[in-house]
Amino acid sequence: MHELSLMDAVREQVLEQAALHGAGRIDAITLRVGSLAGVEIEALRLAHEVVMADTIAAGSRLEIEAVEAACFCAACEQPFAARDGCCACPRCGRISRELLRGRELQLASMDIA
């Protein structure tokens, strides 16, 4: 379950940010997760509970902002939704080589006290 190692990296990042801001508690963590990131959301939630135990983030809410994949068609000069990871432009049928979004796994925000 690579979600455990991913959440371990998130823990390091949020604890570092909390220390920089003098926080005594982390109430919520918001992550942006792309549809092509290869992350199981429920496994990430379980990993959050395990990894944040015994830290100032224990009991914090994990909020997920889903990011749908999108590509850019150079021929049409337009972005398009890359449903199911398909990179064929729905207008002209050409395969896009430019993924605009969808692989994210980013710390978007955190609520601290």
Side-chain angles (χ1 to χ4, degrees):
M1 174 163 98
H2 77 286
E3 285 80 2
L4 197 56
S5 62
L6 293 172
M7 191 51 71
D8 191 46
V10 169
R11 182 193 66 209
E12 289 181 27
Q13 192 175 11
V14 297
L15 293 178
E16 179 181 317
Q17 288 301 311
L20 285 173
H21 295 282
R25 187 176 74 240
I26 299 171
D27 295 321
I29 299 167
T30 303
L31 299 178
R32 257 185 219 111
V33 181
S35 60
L36 301 178
V39 175
E40 292 290 331
I41 300 302
E42 289 311 309
L44 198 62
R45 289 187 189 286
L46 179 60
H48 168 260
E49 290 179 30
V50 171
V51 169
M52 298 302 172
D54 299 324
T55 72
I56 63 170
S60 63
R61 290 184 324 276
L62 178 61
E63 299 173 0
I64 304 293
E65 290 180 4
V67 178
E68 292 301 317
C71 291
F72 183 79
C73 179
C76 296
E77 297 183 345
Q78 295 289 319
F80 62 92
R83 289 181 177 78
D84 299 324
C86 179
C87 295
C89 175
R91 288 178 286 282
C92 71
R94 292 189 181 164
I95 300 298
S96 171
R97 301 169 106 203
E98 187 176 350
L99 183 65
L100 298 175
R101 64 182 176 273
R103 293 192 180 237
E104 299 81 347
L105 179 57
Q106 303 172 308
L107 175 62
S109 66
M110 51 192 261
D111 294 342
I112 58 176

